[in-house]
Amino acid sequence: MTEQAPRSGLKNPQAAVRGLGAGTLVLEAIVLLLAIQPIRIMGGHLSGWGIGAVVGLAVLAILLAGMMKRPWAWPAGAVLQVLLVACGLLHWSLAVLGIIFGAAWAYAAYVRKSILG
């Protein structure tokens, strides 16, 4: 029997997909943490609860990025995007970030499906 090559042409497609997911989550965490101060300066009344929620979501994103080998990490990443959109109740700009990163996460999931099948 001959070993079948991956459809994508990658040597290790699972590692590439994990890297894509982890990179997306780390970028999201960095953007969330960097967004706190501009929201406060530009007249956004981000309360202590709002700042805590943003920091908590950033920490959760970093933790999920480190756990991309787990089978539940991809659905948990989708839940993270929903939570970020829900934080739009605290400040509208968080909902905008949630929509942007939700779209990025949906694209990453599409790429994952197209590579891994």
Side-chain angles (χ1 to χ4, degrees):
M1 257 208 247
T2 61
E3 190 174 317
Q4 194 174 25
R7 292 181 353 177
S8 63
L10 298 169
K11 288 185 180 183
N12 190 349
Q14 296 213 349
V17 168
R18 283 194 311 265
L20 172 65
T24 303
L25 290 170
V26 168
L27 181 63
E28 180 175 359
I30 291 169
V31 168
L32 282 173
L33 292 174
L34 290 175
I36 293 171
Q37 192 62 15
I39 291 171
R40 292 180 67 214
I41 289 175
M42 299 300 281
H45 299 290
L46 195 60
S47 66
W49 287 104
I51 293 171
V54 170
V55 171
L57 288 174
V59 168
L60 183 60
I62 291 170
L63 291 174
L64 281 174
M67 296 185 188
M68 289 308 294
K69 282 188 178 182
R70 307 281 197 278
W72 50 265
W74 282 88
V79 170
L80 176 71
Q81 308 315 315
V82 171
L83 290 174
L84 184 55
V85 171
C87 282
L89 296 173
L90 301 171
H91 195 271
W92 64 268
S93 63
L94 296 176
V96 172
L97 285 176
I99 291 168
I100 291 169
F101 279 105
W105 190 254
Y107 180 71
Y110 168 77
V111 169
R112 175 181 183 236
K113 185 176 179 177
S114 68
I115 289 176
L116 299 181

